[in-house]
Amino acid sequence: MTIVGICRPMRSPWDQPMECCLRFFPCLIDPARRSALCVKLVLVTVHLVYIGVLFLIDGDLIEKTEKEPMYTACYLLLFFVTLIQYFVTSISSPGYVLDAMMTTERNVLYRKTSEASNLPASSKNGSFVVAFEGTQAGKNISGNNTPTWSKLVADLYPMGTTIRTWTCSYCNVEQPPRSKHCHDCDKCVLQFDHHCVWLGNCIGQGNHCRFWWYLCEETALCLWTGILYISYLKDHIKSAWWRDAIMIVLLITLSISLIFLLLLLLFHSYLILTNQTTYELVRRRRIPYLRGIPERVHPFSKGVSRNVYNFCCGSSSVYNMERLPTPQETEEKSRPYTCLDVVSCRCC
């Protein structure tokens, strides 16, 4: 008789602590979420290092804090507000197409139920609203004429466009204009801008405003920190060489980060003024509904003032679906500016 033994793999002494860690923190199981968490820890650590080195080495800053506590208090307030804005932006929803579709279906079902049970029409269901620009969805969304999601999305595209053109090949969901499937999040995002590695989240319609404010706060924090580092080096240039070396290395990396943040802030400010996204600007020739439009024409722009108002004052609980402009509207926007257009503030 032959006895067959089963060899069990050797368990590492780190296996049991790792299993306990994964049991209490299930987010660590997903490699993408684990890497995003590591990036967040690195970014917070870098912020703490810059602040900690400044307060440990610069004795004059401590004395200034005792004389003018409001100066240091404002600096620390900006530091904490920036970190809070970072985490809020990283966990905020960019506005997923699937969520908008489910919200539309719930609203339609709620209206049908309200009409069947004679409930008042002003009753609200949920906290999200789906607004379709240029369609008749608000007029015929009740009764037997209730439009489906596919019909509402089709109204946003020009006549003659097939459904395969705007259907996502990964999610199999009808995409409104300006939407794109994100392979990192594995979801379709409304007004997709880009997937931010530092945030571990997509930037889209729902959190683009938060992302812009985070860039403003991070830029201001880097600029203020750089001023403090330069002030220290000017007053203590002949102090211990190792302190100067640490401060100079940190100042160089801070200057590079500041230049990058300034360029990114200016770039996104331009996108806001023209109502564009990074994806539309970079991949314009690959987007089917933007290929035939001249590059100097911004098809979704409604004027600088209205673009800024919609961006800053738009509610994150409203999914705004913008329709594609008609050929007449595109031709009007491509018309060269004249002196009368400048006087009448056509660009605004």
Side-chain angles (χ1 to χ4, degrees), residues 205-277:
Q205 183 185 99
N207 59 358
H208 199 176
C209 184
R210 294 189 182 96
F211 177 72
W212 187 84
W213 279 111
Y214 165 68
L215 289 179
C216 287
E217 294 161 6
E218 191 71 67
T219 304
L221 180 64
C222 287
L223 183 61
W224 199 340
T225 305
I227 293 174
L228 294 176
Y229 271 73
I230 293 174
S231 300
Y232 170 81
L233 291 174
K234 287 175 61 178
D235 298 335
H236 304 84
I237 193 63
K238 295 183 179 180
S239 61
W241 66 269
W242 60 272
R243 293 185 179 180
D244 293 344
I246 293 175
M247 299 294 281
I248 290 174
V249 170
L250 291 178
L251 182 60
I252 292 174
T253 56
L254 184 65
S255 301
I256 297 174
S257 302
L258 180 59
I259 293 173
F260 173 76
L261 285 170
L262 279 172
L263 293 176
L264 192 61
L265 180 62
L266 292 174
F267 174 71
H268 278 272
S269 299
Y270 167 74
L271 295 179
I272 295 168
L273 295 176
T274 56
N275 194 12
Q276 296 185 91
T277 63

Side-chain angles (χ1 to χ4, degrees), residues 77-311:
L77 178 62
L78 177 62
F79 172 77
F80 287 110
V81 168
T82 302
L83 288 182
I84 292 173
Q85 185 71 24
Y86 169 77
F87 284 105
V88 169
T89 307
S90 64
I91 63 175
S92 61
S93 172
Y96 297 113
V97 175
L98 188 60
D99 293 340
M101 184 179 68
M102 295 177 63
T103 301
T104 303
E105 293 175 353
R106 283 198 301 267
N107 291 341
V108 170
L109 180 61
Y110 178 78
R111 294 195 179 214
K112 287 184 177 181
T113 306
S114 301
E115 292 177 359
S117 57
N118 295 325
L119 291 177
S122 59
S123 300
K124 293 183 179 181
N125 178 33
S127 57
F128 289 90
V129 179
V130 183
F132 289 83
E133 179 188 18
T135 67
Q136 302 298 321
K139 298 181 180 179
N140 57 358
I141 198 167
S142 60
N144 297 327
N145 295 325
T146 302
T148 62
W149 171 259
S150 301
K151 178 63 170 62
L152 293 172
V153 173
D155 290 341
L156 301 175
Y157 288 91
M159 295 293 294
T161 309
T162 60
I163 192 172
R164 292 183 180 180
T165 306
W166 65 75
T167 302
C168 177
S169 57
Y170 300 96
C171 303
N172 199 25
V173 174
E174 291 84 4
Q175 296 177 332
R178 314 191 71 183
S179 303
K180 183 188 177 296
H181 183 87
C182 176
H183 297 281
D184 296 285
C185 299
D186 198 23
K187 292 182 180 179
C188 291
V189 180
L190 296 169
Q191 290 187 21
F192 175 82
D193 189 88
H194 71 285
H195 184 88
C196 183
V197 179
W198 291 104
L199 291 170
N201 193 12
C202 270
I203 304 301
Q205 183 185 99
N207 59 358
H208 199 176
C209 184
R210 294 189 182 96
F211 177 72
W212 187 84
W213 279 111
Y214 165 68
L215 289 179
C216 287
E217 294 161 6
E218 191 71 67
T219 304
L221 180 64
C222 287
L223 183 61
W224 199 340
T225 305
I227 293 174
L228 294 176
Y229 271 73
I230 293 174
S231 300
Y232 170 81
L233 291 174
K234 287 175 61 178
D235 298 335
H236 304 84
I237 193 63
K238 295 183 179 180
S239 61
W241 66 269
W242 60 272
R243 293 185 179 180
D244 293 344
I246 293 175
M247 299 294 281
I248 290 174
V249 170
L250 291 178
L251 182 60
I252 292 174
T253 56
L254 184 65
S255 301
I256 297 174
S257 302
L258 180 59
I259 293 173
F260 173 76
L261 285 170
L262 279 172
L263 293 176
L264 192 61
L265 180 62
L266 292 174
F267 174 71
H268 278 272
S269 299
Y270 167 74
L271 295 179
I272 295 168
L273 295 176
T274 56
N275 194 12
Q276 296 185 91
T277 63
T278 303
Y279 174 70
E280 292 172 347
L281 185 64
V282 175
R283 301 295 182 91
R284 181 159 183 159
R285 295 183 179 180
R286 296 183 58 181
I287 302 176
Y289 53 81
L290 293 180
R291 290 174 184 169
I293 301 177
E295 293 189 1
R296 62 186 181 88
V297 176
H298 311 305
F300 300 104
S301 177
K302 301 174 180 62
V304 174
S305 58
R306 191 174 176 186
N307 291 339
V308 174
Y309 175 81
N310 292 337
F311 181 84

